[in-house]
Amino acid sequence: MTQWFNVEADYHQFTLSSPETDTTAVREIGSVFDTGAGFATFHTGIACGPVTVGIDLVQAPPQWSDSSEWDNVDEAVLAVTTPLRIITNAGKVQDEFEQIEVPPSGKLGIRGHVSGRAVAWDLVVEVPTEKFWIVMWPANEAGTKQLFQRRASDGLWTPESQQEEPESEIDISEDATARVSGPVRWNG
């Protein structure tokens, strides 16, 4: 049975991890979420405010349905060693959600669905405009690429849009001068 609650997102994200996990060590970049060792960081459209999040724990991977209800869907296998919680970017554990225990295999399948991210892009909201549905199951798979995209239609948080900007072609050293020592002397 799905647990639905509102989660406070900030800085365009919330996380599924243990409170002690370093969620900056991202290994795979997705549209709905990024993953690393023992965590998934979910991308919101809003800058901060509540988003509606549902969590389902099932025993096997659910059948794939290409439902138009969801704008984007990512799927991954997480290696986990500690129980997981929903946590805000500020580190607040969302106590409304039950702790997700580590499966015997140490691997957790996760499918993240999202809709409504483009409704209030980069705004601060008071009421939820986005909906996330997270489905998890004990997994045994292993592979090199652990995250893949099943559906992407909102155009937000694409892996291509998250790449670093290319360096500028302007050489600032041409205009820069430095005084090594002594007073400044002007010719003139």
Side-chain angles (χ1 to χ4, degrees):
M1 184 169 147
T2 307
Q3 297 182 68
W4 290 99
F5 294 99
N6 288 342
V7 170
E8 285 298 314
D10 50 357
Y11 298 99
H12 288 279
Q13 62 189 343
F14 65 92
T15 304
L16 176 67
S17 69
S18 74
E20 302 81 27
T21 301
D22 174 11
T23 58
T24 62
V26 173
R27 291 185 182 162
E28 298 281 346
I29 296 174
S31 170
V32 179
F33 58 86
D34 297 340
T35 61
F39 74 90
T41 299
F42 288 81
H43 304 293
T44 65
I46 62 167
C48 82
V51 294
T52 302
V53 177
I55 293 185
D56 260 329
L57 298 172
V58 296
Q59 293 305 309
Q63 196 71 358
W64 169 243
S65 168
D66 195 17
S67 170
S68 63
E69 177 183 359
W70 303 104
D71 298 330
N72 292 49
V73 180
D74 284 354
E75 191 167 307
V77 174
L78 294 178
V80 291
T81 57
T82 57
L84 303 177
R85 304 297 304 265
I86 295 288
I87 303 175
T88 68
N89 199 41
K92 181 181 181 300
V93 173
Q94 301 286 284
D95 293 323
E96 300 85 359
F97 289 100
E98 294 177 13
Q99 179 171 282
I100 296 136
E101 298 299 330
V102 177
S105 68
K107 295 184 184 342
L108 194 62
I110 179 171
R111 186 179 296 164
H113 309 70
V114 64
S115 64
R117 280 194 307 195
V119 172
W121 173 255
D122 205 27
L123 298 178
V124 175
V125 299
E126 299 295 322
V127 295
T129 58
E130 302 174 35
K131 184 176 173 182
F132 289 81
W133 179 35
I134 305 167
V135 182
M136 292 176 281
W137 61 92
N140 294 315
E141 303 99 36
T144 54
K145 182 140 178 86
Q146 297 293 326
L147 182 123
F148 65 95
Q149 194 171 70
R150 286 208 176 252
R151 177 184 182 85
S153 64
D154 69 5
L156 302 176
W157 293 109
T158 61
E160 295 79 27
S161 72
Q162 297 181 57
Q163 301 302 315
E164 290 186 27
E165 301 236 351
E167 289 189 30
S168 172
E169 293 181 17
I170 299 171
D171 182 5
I172 61 169
S173 67
E174 288 181 14
D175 296 331
T177 56
R179 181 169 53 103
V180 178
S181 65
V184 175
R185 294 193 183 133
W186 296 96
N187 296 333

